[in-house]
Amino acid sequence: KAGVTQTPRYLIKTRGQQVTLSCSPISGHRSVSWYQQTPGQGLQFLFEYFSETQRNKGNFPGRFSGRQFSNSRSEMNVSTLELGDSALYLCASSNGQGFGDEQFFGPGTRLTVL
Amino acid sequence: AQSVTQPDIHITVSEGASLELRCNYSYGATPYLFWYVQSPGQGLQLLLKYFSGDTLVQGIKGFEAEFKRSQSSFNLRKPSVHWSDAAEYFCAVGNFNAGNNRKLIWGLGTSLAVNP
């Protein structure tokens, strides 16, 4: 079974631009969660999508948004990029049923904002 | 508020030595606890998890963890470390409530180096 894939793996953008990251979950998984990982803040939860609906949301500004398609693939968008948005963005998929079901992580997209 | 603390930012051990990585959590209800490992360039991989029952949990790669409610701890252990265990280790607590609010709260991680 193929794992979680994220594209692109690396991105360089400048302040003020916007960016879209993509995540393809494991086949059959309906839940996709997004996390931001930085050295100072660690891993922080952005949001979770389940069956095309945002089910949970972390404490990030509205510049961060996402969506999920009918095939469970998910995209995350960051508008008006700031220097502080430089981070590793991780996507995780799970079957989304029950508490504590295992999340499988992709390798991440490394975003650098100049 | 829920939180996870990993007191050790960096640990170095010799190959073959035992290992214990500390994790303390703050959570109002029965916690769902996880340990993940992240190798360079790799995604996070689940080592083990605790939901209920036996407080000593066995995981992959020879790791185990013990849940101690009285100490709010969930320390990760391995009796004999291999060079390939060098990686970043993350402890997380699952925030799952009756409203189906599901998210993981993470510690800042412990970086493990292994000397040959």
Side-chain angles (χ1 to χ4, degrees):
Chain A
K1 193 184 260 190
V4 179
T5 58
Q6 292 187 245
T7 56
R9 292 293 308 276
Y10 301 91
L11 265 178
I12 298 176
K13 293 286 187 180
T14 56
R15 278 181 300 172
Q17 288 186 307
Q18 76 164 16
V19 67
T20 299
L21 313 181
S22 181
C23 171
S24 292
I26 291 172
S27 177
H29 284 184
R30 296 164 64 191
S31 168
V32 173
S33 296
W34 289 90
Y35 294 87
Q36 182 195 65
Q37 185 177 20
T38 59
Q41 299 293 320
L43 279 141
Q44 294 185 287
F45 173 78
L46 281 155
F47 28 66
E48 180 204 10
Y49 285 86
F50 180 80
S51 293
E52 302 179 64
T53 301
Q54 187 181 85
R55 185 159 67 172
N56 292 291
K57 190 177 187 303
N59 298 322
F60 278 80
R63 301 185 296 107
F64 292 82
S65 62
R67 59 177 175 169
Q68 186 180 34
F69 302 93
S70 58
N71 61 358
S72 293
R73 190 178 69 85
S74 177
E75 287 182 347
M76 191 192 92
N77 184 274
V78 188
S79 62
T80 319
L81 283 166
E82 301 176 0
L83 294 179
D85 296 334
S86 294
L88 181 67
Y89 290 88
L90 293 165
C91 159
S93 79
S94 69
N95 62 37
Q97 305 290 339
F99 292 150
D101 58 313
E102 180 177 351
Q103 295 191 339
F104 294 83
F105 284 81
T109 294
R110 173 76 61 185
L111 172 64
T112 301
V113 182
L114 303 175
Chain B
Q2 298 89 358
S3 65
V4 176
T5 302
Q6 293 181 247
D8 305 306
I9 296 173
H10 186 85
I11 285 182
T12 300
V13 299
S14 298
E15 191 168 18
S18 63
L19 171 71
E20 182 169 31
L21 302 182
R22 296 183 291 164
C23 173
N24 294 98
Y25 66 90
S26 171
Y27 190 71
T30 300
Y32 293 80
L33 295 160
F34 305 81
W35 274 99
Y36 279 85
V37 60
Q38 186 177 37
S39 300
Q42 307 274 325
L44 287 150
Q45 182 182 22
L46 179 67
L47 285 174
L48 47 77
K49 59 186 178 183
Y50 171 80
F51 294 160
S52 64
D54 193 348
T55 56
L56 185 62
V57 181
Q58 301 298 320
I60 63 171
K61 304 186 180 188
F63 285 93
E64 66 178 26
E66 186 171 12
F67 170 60
K68 293 185 177 180
R69 184 186 300 275
S70 61
Q71 297 177 21
S72 297
S73 70
F74 188 56
N75 293 348
L76 182 72
R77 301 194 294 247
K78 186 169 185 177
S80 177
V81 171
H82 189 261
W83 64 266
S84 60
D85 292 326
E88 190 89 15
Y89 291 81
F90 294 91
C91 179
V93 60
N95 185 355
F96 307 127
N97 63 25
N100 203 28
N101 182 11
R102 299 153 43 90
K103 64 180 182 182
L104 291 179
I105 299 167
W106 299 79
L108 291 180
T110 297
S111 178
L112 174 66
V114 180
N115 286 333

